[in-house]
């Protein structure tokens, strides 16, 4: 996917619940809709294949920022939403 750096997004407080559409929209507003990956295939692609406990290492998806400012904005959104 274009040599971009991908940052898996994992829920720490309730792994069974998917991210809300508003969170995904917030990430898309930062990096563009073509740089957010939250469907089932993406979740499997970014799963930690070497996790000791597979049940605790299922990402909700990933975002692909291209600038430092985008990374900073993603971290702010993730922090504010408990991700």
């Amino acid at each position: 996917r274009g040599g971009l750096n991908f940052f898996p997004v994992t829920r720490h407080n309730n792994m069974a619940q998917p991210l809300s559409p508003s969170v995904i929209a917030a990430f898309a507003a930062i990096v563009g809709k073509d740089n957010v990956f939250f469907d089932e295939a993406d979740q499997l692609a970014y799963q930690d294949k070497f996790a000791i406990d597979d049940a605790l290492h299922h990402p909700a998806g990933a975002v692909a920022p291209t600038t430092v400012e985008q990374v900073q904005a993603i971290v702010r959104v993730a922090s504010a939403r408990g991700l």
Side-chain angles (χ1 to χ4, degrees):
R1 291 191 171 169
L4 300 172
N5 291 316
F6 292 90
F7 296 89
V9 177
T10 305
R11 290 186 67 97
H12 295 290
N13 54 356
N14 188 347
M15 301 294 276
Q17 296 295 318
L19 292 180
S20 71
S22 67
V23 173
I24 296 170
F27 289 140
I30 295 166
V31 299
K33 67 178 182 170
D34 292 338
N35 293 315
V36 293
F37 308 95
F38 286 90
D39 65 25
E40 187 175 342
D42 297 324
Q43 293 168 358
L44 292 174
Y46 294 106
Q47 186 175 352
D48 184 350
K49 307 297 188 233
F50 301 101
I52 294 171
D53 185 349
D54 287 337
L56 298 177
H57 293 86
H58 290 278
V63 293
T66 58
T67 68
V68 170
E69 293 79 15
Q70 288 177 343
V71 172
Q72 292 169 335
I74 289 165
V75 170
R76 282 192 294 273
V77 169
S79 178
R81 309 270 172 105
L83 305 175

